[in-house]
Amino acid sequence: MARANRMQAAAIDRFGGADEIALHTLSVPEPKADEVLIRVDTASVGPWDPSLREGEYFEATKEDRPSFPFVLGVDGAGTVVAAGKRVKRFREGDKVYGYDPDIAKSGFYAEYARLKARHAAPVPNGLDLEQAGAMPADALTALTGLEAIDLKPGEKLAIFGASGGIGHIALQLAKRMGAGVLAIASGEDGVALARHLGADAAIDGHSSEVDTAVREFAPDGLDAVLITANSNGLEAVLKAIRKSGRAAYPNGVAPEPKARAGVKLQGYDGRSEPELSERLNRLIEMGQFTVHVASKYPLGEAAEAHRAVERHHLGKVALAVQPR
């Protein structure tokens, strides 16, 4: 598959606000022996991206800072145009999605991105490149969390933040794993989305009736809780976890959740590895699956996409890298 030597990328020359993001003309990267080069179709815009843009992430974690210009975007989807000599899983023309945990490396807000083959996965049947590109980090983080709490068929699970990027995907995965799901969502539109996606019960997390909804859903207590946000209403949910119940949250949820004695509460990081992606794809391919893209922007409007991700929205914000 032919590829250009130069590409357009949304990048920053220094840390700062959304206005720092601008289109740059850069060289197309060359894949290393264990990498694939992807012609990016869609890039995800995550709630963590503003923190990367502002440099706060690197200050907080003490991880290596990126070099400038820094191409943002840790996940997306597209078509393989080249593969390193040690890559056996993929070949030119394959449709793939990926999440790169090497945060400081130039990313997916570009016409081409290189990615270690172990962090790439085939686009599952039933999803197009737009949906696949919007989901990787959130979907893998959702499944990592459900596995961290060892969710079992027949258990009653509450998802706090069920209309967000991680939450709306976790809801669907949990139902396919056989759990009953109470969705605590954001706003009436979030409640409507959660119900549409198959939640057994749903309520606005800002409602004064959260504790009532939890008691009605799980009179004997919740088996588990997946926490993707922390706001009013979470305390009532955590109090409803039965003795020896489990709860988990992705690291970065603030303020850090607290649970009563006897409840196993753990923070975790989303993973990106072939075995996890295979399990994710199997669950997705069990039936119709929705990656809800609330809004999408062309590559040249990446700054506006960053503003959008910091406002109330359902599901995902994405960049349409290739012209539609």
Side-chain angles (χ1 to χ4, degrees):
M1 183 178 293
R3 68 179 191 269
N5 294 320
R6 305 285 281 174
M7 67 178 185
Q8 292 289 292
I12 57 174
D13 292 310
R14 57 183 177 270
F15 294 130
D19 289 341
E20 296 294 342
I21 306 174
L23 280 180
H24 291 58
T25 301
L26 303 174
S27 296
V28 173
E30 284 293 326
K32 297 179 181 179
D34 60 348
E35 294 179 333
V36 290
L37 181 67
I38 300 167
R39 184 174 185 264
V40 180
D41 179 273
T42 300
S44 166
V45 181
W48 51 82
D49 282 355
S51 175
L52 300 180
R53 183 198 71 223
E54 293 170 355
E56 292 179 353
Y57 172 85
F58 302 101
E59 289 289 342
T61 62
K62 306 302 181 184
E63 290 193 16
D64 292 340
R65 287 172 170 248
S67 58
F68 296 107
F70 176 34
V71 180
L72 297 161
V74 302
D75 57 335
T79 304
V80 174
V81 295
K85 61 183 180 181
R86 295 208 307 266
V87 175
K88 306 299 182 186
R89 296 176 61 222
F90 302 107
R91 60 186 179 181
E92 185 178 313
D94 287 348
K95 303 286 194 268
V96 299
Y97 68 88
Y99 160 48
D100 193 343
D102 184 1
I103 301 296
K105 192 179 81 177
S106 288
F108 281 85
Y109 290 15
E111 292 178 306
Y112 294 89
R114 62 184 178 90
L115 180 71
K116 287 192 181 298
R118 73 180 310 273
H119 298 316
V123 172
N125 295 330
L127 294 190
D128 58 24
L129 283 173
E130 178 183 302
Q131 294 172 305
M135 79 163 188
D138 289 283
L140 291 165
T141 301
L143 184 54
T144 300
L146 295 174
E147 293 185 349
I149 58 177
D150 193 22
L151 186 65
K152 296 180 176 62
E155 291 193 318
K156 293 199 171 183
L157 168 75
I159 300 176
F160 197 91
S163 54
I166 297 171
H168 87 287
I169 292 174
L171 190 168
Q172 297 172 80
L173 297 177
K175 289 300 300 177
R176 292 175 189 213
M177 296 166 77
V181 177
L182 167 64
I184 298 95
S186 178
E188 292 183 4
D189 53 350
V191 170
L193 175 63
R195 287 176 174 153
H196 174 72
L197 296 178
D200 298 281
I203 190 167
D204 185 350
H206 302 290
S207 168
S208 61
E209 302 298 321
V210 172
D211 54 347
T212 301
V214 175
R215 287 196 304 270
E216 290 177 352
F217 174 73
D220 298 323
L222 293 164
D223 296 296
V225 178
L226 182 65
I227 306 159
T228 70
N230 191 348
S231 60
N232 294 337
L234 178 58
E235 184 177 355
V237 176
L238 293 176
K239 284 182 178 178
I241 302 176
R242 64 175 178 77
K243 187 177 180 181
S244 73
R246 300 97 64 202
Y249 61 93
N251 290 317
V253 170
E256 186 175 323
K258 306 292 183 185
R260 61 182 173 81
V263 171
K264 181 183 178 183
L265 174 65
Q266 60 179 310
Y268 70 92
D269 292 317
R271 305 196 314 276
S272 180
E273 56 194 34
E275 297 81 9
L276 185 68
S277 297
E278 289 171 8
R279 295 195 295 275
L280 173 64
N281 281 4
R282 285 198 298 270
L283 287 166
I284 289 174
E285 291 175 346
M286 287 174 65
Q288 183 176 348
F289 193 87
T290 299
V291 179
H292 182 81
V293 179
S295 56
K296 57 188 175 188
Y297 298 83
L299 186 61
E301 295 180 17
E304 186 54 39
H306 270 227
R307 297 184 185 99
V309 83
E310 295 187 286
R311 299 191 293 263
H312 171 77
H313 66 281
L314 306 181
K316 294 293 302 177
V317 174
L319 289 180
V321 176
Q322 300 300 328
R324 297 296 196 259

